[in-house]
Amino acid sequence: MPNDATAPITQDVMTIPRKLPETGKLNLVGLTRDAMRAALIEAGTPEKQIKMRLNQVWQWVYHWGVRDFAAMTNLSKDYRALLAETFTIDLPEIVSKQVSADGTRKYLVRIAGGHEVEVVYIPESDRGTLCISSQVGCTLTCSFCHTGTQKLVRNLTAGEIVGQIMLARDDLNEWPKPGEPKDETRLLSNIVLMGMGEPLYNFDNVRDAMKIAMDGEGIALSRRRITLSTSGVVPEIAKTAEEIGCLLAVSFHATTDEVRNKLVPINKRWNIETLIAALKEYPRLSNSERITFEYVMLKDVNDTDADARRLVNLIKGIPAKINLIPFNEWPGAPYERSDWSRIEAFADIVHKAGYASPIRTPRGEDIMAACGQLKSATERARKSRAQIEAEASQG
Ligand code: SAH
Ligand code: SF4
């Protein structure tokens, strides 16, 4: 895929489950209900049993988090053997885990092909949020984002996306235990698609993974506890509401096209006006399901009082919350974080205009786990500065 915001949208259309080359077996993790039904039938499950078998296997994999077919005690021995011959239950592998002084956990996760992505768990008093990745690297080149300096290596599969949730539940020891009362206060209660990559450039896999995460007989996270962040892939925005139904966050970051073109180059393809029009149309938009506008605070770039006033004018009529993100530095970053007093003055103007304007407390900075700091350390395919500048100047 070209590293270019003006390139046509290409998506990974791999929906037919692939067998693992090493074992010749199909991984059940990442299969939607329909795909799992088809796979179980192909493996020899009699059609008249399929409804029951699908429910049973589905629950073992996605509700109980079981990895061993032998533990699926409500299935006959023969059927368990058949499953074990045909399928695996595989997650991406945690290569390393770092825990920040503030409790944030960062997992470095290895996926097929030896690539790595980062997954971050952020505990708070009333929730625990898992920030997951949708791609290795990113095709886009937002100039303040560390991930943007890494070329797109590939899209993650649905299994690798939902697998990030499952491995975090492993690490938090949070799978339900048979016979124990249901625990409604979950350590992992929310998902944000705010890790590496642009989720709307990997739409089908992100959708399938989120459908699995939302399924009431599996991981059972409410659609209102999932937030997808996009840099502004306008044609996919309405589809997000229709086919996933989760909450939306938009990486807004600037109030004029001139500045946004530099910060978020996809703006050259879909500018602020086009983006705002798409957001106004976002189905089911309401005060309880507001759009989050993410706005990174960059010193002397986008942080004036005039910017704050332009911002509230632009979003007039959209139920919204403005999440101000103090810029997180990374080695070689061409920007600085706005002064704290500047961020507060900006927040105040937005707040007085009637919008919630929380300032996102940087979490896990000591382990480079904060927004925009994620990048697989081992990926060698770096974009050069010249390449980034060339891409940013293309219109
Ligand atoms: N690609 C998607 C989602 C991942 S980025 C998107 O761009 O929306 C998650 C959020 O972190 C985005 O709002 C992104 O703009 C922001 N971000 C990126 N780099 C950052 C940095 N260095 N400091 C603070 N926020 C950053
Ligand atoms: Fe990609 Fe999002 Fe980073 Fe932009 S901010 S380069 S879209 S990950």
Side-chain angles (χ1 to χ4, degrees), residues 200-212:
L200 296 189
Y201 273 151
N202 186 14
F203 188 88
D204 291 359
N205 290 324
V206 166
R207 176 201 54 214
D208 287 354
M210 293 306 106
K211 288 262 183 227
I212 296 167

Side-chain angles (χ1 to χ4, degrees), residues 317-334:
I318 302 179
K321 163 173 113 182
I322 319 302
N323 212 328
L324 298 175
I325 316 175
F327 173 61
N328 294 310
E329 303 207 356
W330 38 273

Side-chain angles (χ1 to χ4, degrees), residues 21-22 30 146 166 177 185 219-220 267 290 315 379 386 394:
E22 319 83 77
H146 203 196
M166 295 170 72
K177 313 231 173 6
T185 53
I219 299 164
N267 194 69
R290 291 171 291 179
I315 65 173
E379 292 296 345
Q394 281 165 10

